[in-house]
C-alpha cells in the first residue's frame, strides 16, 4: 500500500518554501554549471551557462557591488630625510632673497658670506675652540639636569612621602622662568662656569621630571599587583616594572630637555663670558658683524637639530615594540 504525499491544496498548513533571491551568495560554479539569475519559476528560464561560454568574473561583478578602496587615516609612510626638508627650504629662500637683492646684506648677510666667514674662523681655530667650549657646557648641564630630574621623578612618583617633599618645589620652579634666576645665581656662584652649567641644568630638570613623573603615575595597576604577587623587591620593581613603563615619558622629557639646554646656553654665554659661541656672537655685535652672528645662530640650530634627531633615533630603537601612529 502506497501513501500519497500531501499537496499544497490538501495540506494548507504546510509552509511554502521561500523563493531564491538574485542577491543570495552562491559558491563559485564549476565548468558547465548553471547559475540561476532570478528566483522562482521565471528564474528557471534565465540561466547562464558558464562552462566556457560566460565569463565567471563578469557574472560575479554583476552579482556583487564594486568594492571601494579603504581610506587611510594615518599620516602615511615615512618620508626619507623628512627632517631636512624644512631647513632646506629655508636655506633656498635665503639664497634666493640674497641673490635677487630682496634682502639687504646690511640687514642679513648672504649665505655665501656666512660660509666664507666660517671657513676663515675654522682656519684660525676660533670657531672650533668656541664650539668645543659651548658643547662642553651644554652636555654637562644636560647630564646634571637629566640625572636630577629622573631621581626626583622616581622619588615623587613611587612614594607618597617623596611626592609631598619634592613635587611642590618642582612645580614652583616650573612656574618661575629659569632666566629669572640668573641674577641670583650670579650672586651665589659668580660669573664662572659653575653658574652657567647650573643655569642649563635648571632649565633641563623640569621637563624631565614632569614627563617621567606622569609616566610613572600612569603605569597599569595590574603590573603592580603582578609584581606584588611574585614578591619582587623594591629595587626589582623599579628596574623591571617602573623604569620600562616610564621610558616613553622619560624620552619625551629628554627631547624637550635637549632643546632647553641649547636655549639656556644661548643666554648664559652672552653674560660676562670669555669663550663659547655666545661670546663670539656678543663680540661680533659690538663690531656690527652680522655674518658672525648668523654663523653662531646656524651652529646653535644645527646642534639643536642634531641632538633632537639623536634622541628621536634612540626613542625609535628603544620603543620599537610599540605600534603608534607615527610608525
Amino acid at each position: 500500500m502506497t501513501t500519497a504525499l500531501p499537496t499544497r491544496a490538501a495540506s494548507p498548513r504546510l509552509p511554502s518554501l521561500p523563493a531564491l533571491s538574485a542577491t543570495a551568495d552562491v559558491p563559485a560554479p564549476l565548468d558547465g554549471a548553471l547559475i540561476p539569475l532570478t528566483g522562482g519559476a521565471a528564474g528557471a528560464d534565465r540561466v547562464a551557462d558558464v562552462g566556457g561560454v560566460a565569463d565567471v568574473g563578469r557574472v560575479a561583478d554583476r552579482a556583487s557591488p564594486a568594492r571601494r578602496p579603504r581610506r587611510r587615516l594615518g599620516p602615511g609612510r615615512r618620508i626619507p630625510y623628512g627632517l631636512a626638508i624644512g631647513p632646506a627650504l629655508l636655506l633656498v629662500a635665503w639664497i634666493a632673497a640674497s641673490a635677487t637683492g630682496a634682502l639687504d646684506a646690511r640687514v642679513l648677510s648672504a649665505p655665501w658670506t656666512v660660509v666664507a666667514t666660517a671657513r676663515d674662523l675654522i682656519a684660525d681655530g676660533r670657531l672650533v675652540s668656541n664650539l668645543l667650549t659651548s658643547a662642553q657646557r651644554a652636555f654637562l648641564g644636560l647630564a646634571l639636569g637629566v640625572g636630577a630630574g629622573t631621581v626626583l621623578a622616581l622619588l615623587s612618583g613611587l612614594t607618597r612621602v617623596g611626592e609631598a617633599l619634592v613635587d611642590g618645589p618642582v612645580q614652583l620652579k616650573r612656574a618661575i622662568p629659569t632666566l629669572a634666576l640668573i641674577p641670583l645665581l650670579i650672586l651665589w656662584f659668580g660669573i664662572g662656569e659653575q653658574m652657567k652649567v647650573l643655569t642649563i641644568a635648571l632649565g633641563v630638570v623640569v621637563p624631565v621630571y614632569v614627563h617621567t613623573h606622569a609616566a610613572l603615575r600612569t603605569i597599569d595597576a595590574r603590573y603592580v599587583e603582578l609584581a606584588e604577587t611574585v614578591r619582587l623587591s623594591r629595587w626589582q620593581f623599579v628596574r623591571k616594572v617602573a623604569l620600562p613603563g616610564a621610558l616613553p615619558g622619560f624620552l619625551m622629557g629628554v627631547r624637550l630637555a635637549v632643546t632647553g639646554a641649547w636655549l639656556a646656553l644661548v643666554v648664559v654665554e652672552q653674560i660676562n663670558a670669555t669663550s663659547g659661541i655666545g661670546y663670539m656672537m656678543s663680540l661680533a655685535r659690538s663690531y656690527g658683524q652680522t655674518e658672525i652672528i648668523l654663523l653662531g645662530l646656524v651652529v646653535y640650530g644645527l646642534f639643536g637639530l642634531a641632538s633632537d634627531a639623536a634622541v628621536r633615533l634612540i626613542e625609535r630603537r628603544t620603543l620599537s615594540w610599540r605600534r603608534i601612529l607615527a610608525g
Side-chain angles (χ1 to χ4, degrees):
M1 179 178 178
T2 61
T3 304
L5 294 175
T7 62
R8 183 181 299 274
S11 179
R13 295 183 180 180
L14 184 64
S16 60
L17 295 175
L20 293 176
S21 173
T23 60
D25 296 329
V26 294
L30 299 175
D31 290 342
L34 300 178
I35 301 178
L37 298 181
T38 58
D45 297 331
R46 301 178 61 190
V47 295
D49 187 358
V50 297
V53 178
D55 187 8
V56 179
R58 292 200 302 268
V59 174
D61 290 339
R62 290 197 303 268
S64 62
R67 291 184 179 179
R68 296 180 179 178
R70 188 175 62 178
R71 183 180 179 185
R72 299 185 65 88
L73 301 178
R77 295 181 179 179
R78 188 180 300 276
I79 301 176
Y81 307 103
L83 291 178
I85 294 178
L89 291 177
L90 289 177
L91 180 60
V92 169
W94 185 15
I95 293 174
S98 299
T100 57
L103 192 61
D104 191 355
R106 293 172 297 178
V107 177
L108 198 65
S109 299
W112 45 87
T113 305
V114 176
V115 171
T117 303
R119 184 173 59 248
D120 295 339
L121 292 177
I122 292 174
D124 61 19
R126 283 188 294 167
L127 182 60
V128 176
S129 176
N130 289 321
L131 186 59
L132 292 177
T133 302
S134 296
Q136 181 180 3
R137 289 169 181 162
F139 288 126
L140 282 177
L142 183 64
L144 183 60
V146 169
T150 304
V151 172
L152 292 176
L154 290 174
L155 291 176
S156 179
L158 298 178
T159 62
R160 294 297 181 183
V161 176
E163 182 182 21
L165 295 176
V166 173
D167 192 63
V170 174
Q171 296 299 334
L172 183 63
K173 164 60 188 70
R174 182 184 178 188
I176 300 175
T178 302
L179 302 182
L181 299 175
I182 290 180
L184 190 60
L185 293 175
I186 292 177
L187 291 177
W188 288 350
F189 303 103
I191 58 173
E193 292 297 315
Q194 192 175 9
M195 182 274 296
K196 296 177 176 60
V197 173
L198 285 177
T199 302
I200 297 172
L202 288 176
V204 165
V205 67
V206 173
V208 174
Y209 170 85
V210 169
H211 286 83
T212 307
H213 180 269
L216 286 170
R217 286 304 174 91
T218 55
I219 293 177
D220 197 332
R222 291 176 295 180
Y223 297 149
V224 183
E225 295 174 358
L226 179 61
E228 294 173 350
T229 302
V230 298
R231 299 183 181 277
L232 294 182
S233 64
R234 171 66 68 174
W235 169 243
Q236 289 176 332
F237 170 74
V238 171
R239 185 168 56 89
K240 296 182 178 181
V241 178
L243 291 180
L247 190 58
F250 168 76
L251 291 175
M252 177 57 68
V254 171
R255 284 188 61 187
L256 297 177
V258 167
T259 305
W262 289 105
L263 290 176
L265 180 67
V266 174
V267 177
V268 298
E269 285 193 335
Q270 298 186 32
I271 301 177
N272 294 324
T274 57
S275 61
I277 299 297
Y279 165 74
M280 186 179 67
M281 294 171 61
S282 180
L283 193 63
R285 180 190 59 191
S286 303
Y287 294 98
Q289 298 171 319
T290 57
E291 64 277 6
I292 296 181
I293 298 176
L294 285 175
L295 177 61
L297 293 177
V298 170
V299 170
Y300 279 133
L302 290 178
F303 261 86
L305 188 63
S307 302
D308 182 74
V311 177
R312 293 177 68 174
L313 178 62
I314 295 173
E315 182 180 15
R316 190 160 54 247
R317 296 287 179 86
T318 307
L319 305 178
S320 58
W321 49 269
R322 296 192 307 172
R323 294 182 59 87
I324 58 176
L325 184 65

